[in-house]
mmCIF file of all heavy atoms in Angstrom:
data_model
loop_
_atom_site.group_PDB
_atom_site.id
_atom_site.type_symbol
_atom_site.label_atom_id
_atom_site.label_comp_id
_atom_site.label_asym_id
_atom_site.label_seq_id
_atom_site.Cartn_x
_atom_site.Cartn_y
_atom_site.Cartn_z
ATOM 1 N N GLY A 85 0.789 -1.243 -0.022
ATOM 2 C CA GLY A 85 -0.008 0.000 -0.022
ATOM 3 C C GLY A 85 0.793 1.261 0.002
ATOM 4 O O GLY A 85 0.267 2.360 -0.278
ATOM 5 N N SER A 86 2.098 1.212 0.316
ATOM 6 C CA SER A 86 2.918 2.397 0.368
ATOM 7 C C SER A 86 3.557 2.827 -0.917
ATOM 8 O O SER A 86 4.188 3.903 -0.964
ATOM 9 C CB SER A 86 4.014 2.212 1.434
ATOM 10 O OG SER A 86 4.922 1.186 1.041
ATOM 11 N N LEU A 87 3.361 2.097 -1.974
ATOM 12 C CA LEU A 87 3.920 2.416 -3.319
ATOM 13 C C LEU A 87 2.765 2.689 -4.232
ATOM 14 O O LEU A 87 1.850 1.879 -4.369
ATOM 15 C CB LEU A 87 4.791 1.316 -3.852
ATOM 16 C CG LEU A 87 5.896 0.789 -2.973
ATOM 17 C CD1 LEU A 87 6.726 -0.336 -3.666
ATOM 18 C CD2 LEU A 87 6.844 1.900 -2.535
ATOM 19 N N ASP A 88 2.823 3.814 -4.937
ATOM 20 C CA ASP A 88 1.772 4.199 -5.874
ATOM 21 C C ASP A 88 1.769 3.298 -7.138
ATOM 22 O O ASP A 88 2.759 3.287 -7.848
ATOM 23 C CB ASP A 88 1.951 5.642 -6.326
ATOM 24 C CG ASP A 88 0.777 6.197 -7.122
ATOM 25 O OD1 ASP A 88 0.003 5.436 -7.651
ATOM 26 O OD2 ASP A 88 0.692 7.465 -7.210
ATOM 27 N N PRO A 89 0.723 2.465 -7.313
ATOM 28 C CA PRO A 89 0.733 1.516 -8.427
ATOM 29 C C PRO A 89 0.711 2.176 -9.828
ATOM 30 O O PRO A 89 1.035 1.490 -10.814
ATOM 31 C CB PRO A 89 -0.530 0.718 -8.204
ATOM 32 C CG PRO A 89 -1.468 1.634 -7.501
ATOM 33 C CD PRO A 89 -0.567 2.441 -6.597
ATOM 34 N N ARG A 90 0.445 3.477 -9.894
ATOM 35 C CA ARG A 90 0.375 4.121 -11.189
ATOM 36 C C ARG A 90 1.680 4.766 -11.596
ATOM 37 O O ARG A 90 1.808 5.268 -12.719
ATOM 38 C CB ARG A 90 -0.729 5.258 -11.115
ATOM 39 C CG ARG A 90 -2.113 4.739 -10.841
ATOM 40 C CD ARG A 90 -3.044 5.865 -10.470
ATOM 41 N NE ARG A 90 -2.611 6.550 -9.250
ATOM 42 C CZ ARG A 90 -3.220 7.605 -8.714
ATOM 43 N NH1 ARG A 90 -4.306 8.129 -9.337
ATOM 44 N NH2 ARG A 90 -2.837 8.154 -7.614
ATOM 45 N N GLN A 91 2.701 4.722 -10.707
ATOM 46 C CA GLN A 91 3.936 5.353 -11.032
ATOM 47 C C GLN A 91 5.052 4.307 -11.200
ATOM 48 O O GLN A 91 4.973 3.194 -10.624
ATOM 49 C CB GLN A 91 4.371 6.307 -9.905
ATOM 50 C CG GLN A 91 3.504 7.529 -9.752
ATOM 51 C CD GLN A 91 4.044 8.530 -8.786
ATOM 52 O OE1 GLN A 91 5.111 8.331 -8.184
ATOM 53 N NE2 GLN A 91 3.361 9.648 -8.602
ATOM 54 N N THR A 92 6.027 4.626 -12.008
ATOM 55 C CA THR A 92 7.147 3.696 -12.157
ATOM 56 C C THR A 92 7.978 3.720 -10.892
ATOM 57 O O THR A 92 7.888 4.651 -10.080
ATOM 58 C CB THR A 92 8.034 4.128 -13.370
ATOM 59 O OG1 THR A 92 8.580 5.409 -13.054
ATOM 60 C CG2 THR A 92 7.238 4.211 -14.660
ATOM 61 N N VAL A 93 8.803 2.695 -10.769
ATOM 62 C CA VAL A 93 9.690 2.585 -9.623
ATOM 63 C C VAL A 93 10.635 3.746 -9.579
ATOM 64 O O VAL A 93 10.960 4.311 -8.514
ATOM 65 C CB VAL A 93 10.417 1.259 -9.644
ATOM 66 C CG1 VAL A 93 11.519 1.213 -8.598
ATOM 67 C CG2 VAL A 93 9.437 0.104 -9.431
ATOM 68 N N ALA A 94 11.092 4.217 -10.738
ATOM 69 C CA ALA A 94 11.991 5.362 -10.765
ATOM 70 C C ALA A 94 11.367 6.602 -10.152
ATOM 71 O O ALA A 94 12.000 7.306 -9.354
ATOM 72 C CB ALA A 94 12.432 5.637 -12.207
ATOM 73 N N ARG A 95 10.137 6.883 -10.479
ATOM 74 C CA ARG A 95 9.456 8.050 -9.935
ATOM 75 C C ARG A 95 9.197 7.875 -8.431
ATOM 76 O O ARG A 95 9.281 8.849 -7.672
ATOM 77 C CB ARG A 95 8.145 8.297 -10.655
ATOM 78 C CG ARG A 95 8.333 8.777 -12.149
ATOM 79 C CD ARG A 95 7.060 9.320 -12.672
ATOM 80 N NE ARG A 95 6.595 10.513 -11.980
ATOM 81 C CZ ARG A 95 5.470 11.165 -12.236
ATOM 82 N NH1 ARG A 95 4.637 10.730 -13.216
ATOM 83 N NH2 ARG A 95 5.158 12.240 -11.551
ATOM 84 N N ILE A 96 8.845 6.662 -8.025
ATOM 85 C CA ILE A 96 8.586 6.387 -6.602
ATOM 86 C C ILE A 96 9.874 6.644 -5.790
ATOM 87 O O ILE A 96 9.850 7.343 -4.757
ATOM 88 C CB ILE A 96 8.056 4.973 -6.424
ATOM 89 C CG1 ILE A 96 6.674 4.817 -7.024
ATOM 90 C CG2 ILE A 96 8.102 4.569 -4.945
ATOM 91 C CD1 ILE A 96 6.199 3.381 -7.063
ATOM 92 N N VAL A 97 10.979 6.050 -6.225
ATOM 93 C CA VAL A 97 12.206 6.119 -5.480
ATOM 94 C C VAL A 97 12.754 7.575 -5.462
ATOM 95 O O VAL A 97 13.242 8.032 -4.429
ATOM 96 C CB VAL A 97 13.301 5.162 -6.045
ATOM 97 C CG1 VAL A 97 14.659 5.394 -5.406
ATOM 98 C CG2 VAL A 97 12.824 3.698 -5.858
ATOM 99 N N ALA A 98 12.594 8.284 -6.571
ATOM 100 C CA ALA A 98 13.134 9.626 -6.683
ATOM 101 C C ALA A 98 12.218 10.667 -6.087
ATOM 102 O O ALA A 98 12.584 11.866 -6.087
ATOM 103 C CB ALA A 98 13.469 9.965 -8.129
ATOM 104 N N GLU A 99 11.065 10.268 -5.623
ATOM 105 C CA GLU A 99 10.051 11.246 -5.167
ATOM 106 C C GLU A 99 10.613 12.203 -4.044
ATOM 107 O O GLU A 99 10.373 13.399 -4.105
ATOM 108 C CB GLU A 99 8.817 10.518 -4.665
ATOM 109 C CG GLU A 99 7.680 11.486 -4.212
ATOM 110 C CD GLU A 99 6.475 10.685 -3.757
ATOM 111 O OE1 GLU A 99 6.524 9.465 -3.700
ATOM 112 O OE2 GLU A 99 5.416 11.365 -3.494
ATOM 113 N N PRO A 100 11.352 11.692 -3.064
ATOM 114 C CA PRO A 100 11.887 12.621 -2.038
ATOM 115 C C PRO A 100 12.823 13.638 -2.640
ATOM 116 O O PRO A 100 12.867 14.834 -2.210
ATOM 117 C CB PRO A 100 12.641 11.691 -1.044
ATOM 118 C CG PRO A 100 11.912 10.367 -1.223
ATOM 119 C CD PRO A 100 11.603 10.282 -2.672
ATOM 120 N N LEU A 101 13.638 13.228 -3.649
ATOM 121 C CA LEU A 101 14.521 14.217 -4.309
ATOM 122 C C LEU A 101 13.742 15.213 -5.052
ATOM 123 O O LEU A 101 14.035 16.479 -5.105
ATOM 124 C CB LEU A 101 15.490 13.488 -5.239
ATOM 125 C CG LEU A 101 16.637 12.694 -4.593
ATOM 126 C CD1 LEU A 101 17.439 11.956 -5.664
ATOM 127 C CD2 LEU A 101 17.515 13.597 -3.767
ATOM 128 N N ALA A 102 12.649 14.805 -5.755
ATOM 129 C CA ALA A 102 11.822 15.718 -6.518
ATOM 130 C C ALA A 102 11.152 16.704 -5.579
ATOM 131 O O ALA A 102 11.032 17.917 -5.901
ATOM 132 C CB ALA A 102 10.783 14.922 -7.304
ATOM 133 N N ALA A 103 10.765 16.272 -4.373
ATOM 134 C CA ALA A 103 10.129 17.176 -3.439
ATOM 135 C C ALA A 103 11.149 18.259 -2.927
ATOM 136 O O ALA A 103 10.704 19.334 -2.568
ATOM 137 C CB ALA A 103 9.593 16.404 -2.238
ATOM 138 N N GLN A 104 12.427 17.884 -2.994
ATOM 139 C CA GLN A 104 13.479 18.857 -2.591
ATOM 140 C C GLN A 104 13.806 19.759 -3.799
ATOM 141 O O GLN A 104 14.621 20.691 -3.607
ATOM 142 C CB GLN A 104 14.728 18.116 -2.146
ATOM 143 C CG GLN A 104 14.545 17.271 -0.904
ATOM 144 C CD GLN A 104 14.351 18.105 0.375
ATOM 145 O OE1 GLN A 104 14.951 19.179 0.494
ATOM 146 N NE2 GLN A 104 13.550 17.658 1.312
ATOM 147 N N GLY A 105 13.248 19.515 -4.981
ATOM 148 C CA GLY A 105 13.578 20.312 -6.142
ATOM 149 C C GLY A 105 14.931 20.065 -6.718
ATOM 150 O O GLY A 105 15.539 20.974 -7.272
ATOM 151 N N GLU A 106 15.435 18.858 -6.564
ATOM 152 C CA GLU A 106 16.794 18.531 -6.973
ATOM 153 C C GLU A 106 16.811 17.750 -8.282
ATOM 154 O O GLU A 106 16.257 16.673 -8.405
ATOM 155 C CB GLU A 106 17.524 17.699 -5.890
ATOM 156 C CG GLU A 106 17.635 18.438 -4.566
ATOM 157 C CD GLU A 106 18.453 17.606 -3.584
ATOM 158 O OE1 GLU A 106 19.104 16.631 -3.982
ATOM 159 O OE2 GLU A 106 18.447 17.986 -2.358
ATOM 160 N N GLY A 107 17.468 18.337 -9.317
ATOM 161 C CA GLY A 107 17.774 17.544 -10.542
ATOM 162 C C GLY A 107 16.728 17.521 -11.567
ATOM 163 O O GLY A 107 15.500 17.690 -11.299
ATOM 164 N N SER A 108 17.145 17.283 -12.781
ATOM 165 C CA SER A 108 16.252 17.099 -13.941
ATOM 166 C C SER A 108 15.684 15.661 -13.904
ATOM 167 O O SER A 108 16.062 14.862 -13.039
ATOM 168 C CB SER A 108 17.008 17.292 -15.226
ATOM 169 O OG SER A 108 18.056 16.327 -15.340
ATOM 170 N N ARG A 109 14.805 15.375 -14.806
ATOM 171 C CA ARG A 109 14.220 14.012 -14.881
ATOM 172 C C ARG A 109 15.235 12.945 -15.071
ATOM 173 O O ARG A 109 15.181 11.887 -14.413
ATOM 174 C CB ARG A 109 13.151 13.955 -15.978
ATOM 175 C CG ARG A 109 12.483 12.622 -16.127
ATOM 176 C CD ARG A 109 11.362 12.637 -17.162
ATOM 177 N NE ARG A 109 10.339 13.585 -16.779
ATOM 178 C CZ ARG A 109 9.194 13.756 -17.532
ATOM 179 N NH1 ARG A 109 9.057 13.060 -18.643
ATOM 180 N NH2 ARG A 109 8.283 14.592 -17.146
ATOM 181 N N SER A 110 16.227 13.216 -15.935
ATOM 182 C CA SER A 110 17.279 12.169 -16.150
ATOM 183 C C SER A 110 18.140 12.012 -14.919
ATOM 184 O O SER A 110 18.557 10.871 -14.570
ATOM 185 C CB SER A 110 18.080 12.593 -17.347
ATOM 186 O OG SER A 110 18.768 13.814 -17.137
ATOM 187 N N VAL A 111 18.429 13.086 -14.244
ATOM 188 C CA VAL A 111 19.251 12.979 -13.005
ATOM 189 C C VAL A 111 18.473 12.169 -11.933
ATOM 190 O O VAL A 111 19.035 11.315 -11.268
ATOM 191 C CB VAL A 111 19.598 14.373 -12.530
ATOM 192 C CG1 VAL A 111 20.224 14.303 -11.087
ATOM 193 C CG2 VAL A 111 20.557 15.071 -13.464
ATOM 194 N N LEU A 112 17.203 12.444 -11.792
ATOM 195 C CA LEU A 112 16.391 11.750 -10.832
ATOM 196 C C LEU A 112 16.293 10.263 -11.190
ATOM 197 O O LEU A 112 16.389 9.381 -10.327
ATOM 198 C CB LEU A 112 14.979 12.342 -10.747
ATOM 199 C CG LEU A 112 14.922 13.794 -10.202
ATOM 200 C CD1 LEU A 112 13.424 14.230 -10.270
ATOM 201 C CD2 LEU A 112 15.401 13.892 -8.800
ATOM 202 N N HIS A 113 16.148 9.944 -12.470
ATOM 203 C CA HIS A 113 16.095 8.542 -12.914
ATOM 204 C C HIS A 113 17.402 7.836 -12.602
ATOM 205 O O HIS A 113 17.390 6.702 -12.121
ATOM 206 C CB HIS A 113 15.773 8.463 -14.401
ATOM 207 C CG HIS A 113 15.528 7.136 -14.911
ATOM 208 N ND1 HIS A 113 16.537 6.204 -15.212
ATOM 209 C CD2 HIS A 113 14.346 6.474 -15.245
ATOM 210 C CE1 HIS A 113 16.011 5.094 -15.620
ATOM 211 N NE2 HIS A 113 14.720 5.229 -15.648
ATOM 212 N N ASP A 114 18.508 8.505 -12.864
ATOM 213 C CA ASP A 114 19.810 7.882 -12.568
ATOM 214 C C ASP A 114 20.023 7.689 -11.078
ATOM 215 O O ASP A 114 20.565 6.640 -10.655
ATOM 216 C CB ASP A 114 20.921 8.714 -13.127
ATOM 217 C CG ASP A 114 20.975 8.778 -14.633
ATOM 218 O OD1 ASP A 114 20.361 7.893 -15.237
ATOM 219 O OD2 ASP A 114 21.629 9.688 -15.197
ATOM 220 N N ALA A 115 19.568 8.628 -10.234
ATOM 221 C CA ALA A 115 19.665 8.483 -8.791
ATOM 222 C C ALA A 115 18.826 7.299 -8.301
ATOM 223 O O ALA A 115 19.258 6.529 -7.435
ATOM 224 C CB ALA A 115 19.230 9.754 -8.117
ATOM 225 N N ALA A 116 17.620 7.157 -8.896
ATOM 226 C CA ALA A 116 16.773 6.015 -8.494
ATOM 227 C C ALA A 116 17.429 4.729 -8.865
ATOM 228 O O ALA A 116 17.405 3.725 -8.103
ATOM 229 C CB ALA A 116 15.376 6.171 -9.147
#
């Protein structure tokens, strides 16, 4: 229940970084 079934794993894992406003989409994908 803690993982959004509509999002890819990359978006799920990188979500805290995105909330901090860090990096482009490719950077977030690589971090994930």
Side-chain angles (χ1 to χ4, degrees):
S86 63
L87 306 181
D88 189 338
R90 298 167 297 178
Q91 294 188 359
T92 65
V93 169
R95 292 194 63 182
I96 291 171
V97 172
E99 183 178 7
L101 286 177
Q104 297 289 325
E106 297 185 14
S108 62
R109 179 175 298 182
S110 62
V111 170
L112 295 178
H113 188 281
D114 291 344

